[in-house]
């Protein structure tokens, strides 16, 4: 009995002196938005084109080291939009606003050296501008799905797809559109 109790005490002591592999990290995230509109209830004369924007801002990441699960959240200034043309000419509708993605991450890797992660979660977007002729929504909710690489415990390179759950805007002619966005990001974790 004394040997079992002694072994248990040694295990508890080792558990108390093991370094805590901090689970909350902060960093900076930035990248490119490639947006494409999905039009509905508009005439055949409307043509759409891709629009390239950007995003940048702080991020926080909470991870459980042994399991590989984690959550990351970012507060990003984002620019995205669409280009639409009809017989009257070209219109570029820019959206400048705050993008707040919150993702559940699962990481498979080689410790701190390298890893691959899968991420999914909700995305909240709040628009700053209003444009005449197009009634943009002030707030949008979408779903993010993505994957990427973690390198040297500080660098994350990823790509994700943002799928809006509702319409992005209503057009005066009676139609509407959704802005579906591919994002390529680089994050540096301090």
């Amino acid at each position: 009995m004394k040997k079992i109790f002694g072994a248990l005490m040694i295990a508890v002591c080792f558990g108390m002196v093991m370094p805590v592999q901090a689970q909350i990290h902060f960093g900076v995230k930035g990248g490119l938005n490639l947006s494409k509109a999905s039009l509905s209830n508009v005439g055949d004369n409307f043509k759409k084109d891709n629009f390239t924007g950007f995003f940048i801002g702080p991020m926080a990441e909470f991870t459980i080291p042994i399991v590989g699960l984690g959550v990351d959240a970012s507060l990003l200034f984002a620019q995205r939009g669409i280009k639409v043309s009809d017989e009257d000419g070209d219109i570029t509708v820019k959206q400048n606003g705050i993008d707040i993605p919150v993702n559940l991450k699962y990481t498979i890797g080689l410790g701190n050296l390298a890893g691959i992660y899968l991420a999914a979660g909700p995305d909240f977007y709040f628009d700053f501008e209003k444009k005449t002729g197009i009634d943009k929504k002030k707030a949008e909710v979408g779903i993010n799905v993505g994957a990427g690489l973690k390198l040297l415990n500080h660098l994350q390179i990823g790509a994700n797809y943002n799928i809006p759950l509702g319409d992005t805007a209503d057009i005066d002619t009676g139609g509407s559109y959704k802005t579906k966005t591919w994002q390529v990001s680089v994050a540096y974790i301090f």
Side-chain angles (χ1 to χ4, degrees):
M1 183 69 168
K2 287 182 181 181
K3 288 181 182 181
I4 294 174
F5 183 72
L8 184 60
M9 287 303 291
I10 290 172
V12 168
C13 289
F14 275 123
M16 289 180 4
V17 298
M18 287 176 60
V20 176
Q21 294 182 350
Q23 305 3 322
I24 294 182
H25 301 283
F26 297 97
V28 176
K29 186 175 188 177
L32 294 175
N33 286 330
L34 181 62
S35 300
K36 187 168 185 164
S38 174
L39 300 168
S40 60
N41 298 328
V42 295
D44 293 334
N45 56 348
F46 273 91
K47 306 246 184 304
K48 60 186 186 253
D49 196 7
N50 294 341
F51 181 85
T52 304
F54 67 92
F55 60 92
I56 190 163
M59 73 173 283
E61 181 178 57
F62 174 78
T63 58
I64 302 170
I66 297 172
V67 180
L69 277 178
V71 175
D72 83 354
S74 304
L75 181 64
L76 306 170
F77 173 78
Q79 181 185 71
R80 59 186 185 183
I82 63 164
K83 290 181 184 177
V84 179
S85 59
D86 61 3
E87 66 268 354
D88 296 333
D90 295 339
I91 301 171
T92 300
V93 181
K94 285 186 184 177
Q95 290 179 276
N96 292 318
I98 296 292
D99 195 10
I100 306 172
V102 179
N103 292 315
L104 179 65
K105 277 186 175 177
Y106 181 67
T107 305
I108 304 166
L110 303 169
N112 293 335
L113 185 61
I116 298 172
Y117 69 85
L118 301 173
D123 181 76
F124 306 97
Y125 183 81
F126 302 97
D127 195 29
F128 291 155
E129 299 181 29
K130 194 97 165 134
K131 183 164 176 119
T132 313
I134 294 178
D135 183 24
K136 293 189 295 184
K137 308 291 185 205
K138 286 291 188 186
E140 296 177 50
V141 177
I143 300 292
N144 279 328
V145 179
L149 297 171
K150 288 185 175 184
L151 301 171
L152 303 175
N153 203 27
H154 292 288
L155 187 63
Q156 294 182 12
I157 301 168
N160 70 276
Y161 189 59
N162 183 303
I163 307 160
L165 295 179
D167 289 337
T168 300
D170 296 322
I171 303 171
D172 284 347
T173 60
S176 63
Y177 72 87
K178 292 181 180 185
T179 304
K180 298 177 181 175
T181 306
W182 277 100
Q183 294 180 322
V184 179
S185 66
V186 174
Y188 184 78
I189 306 298
F190 303 117

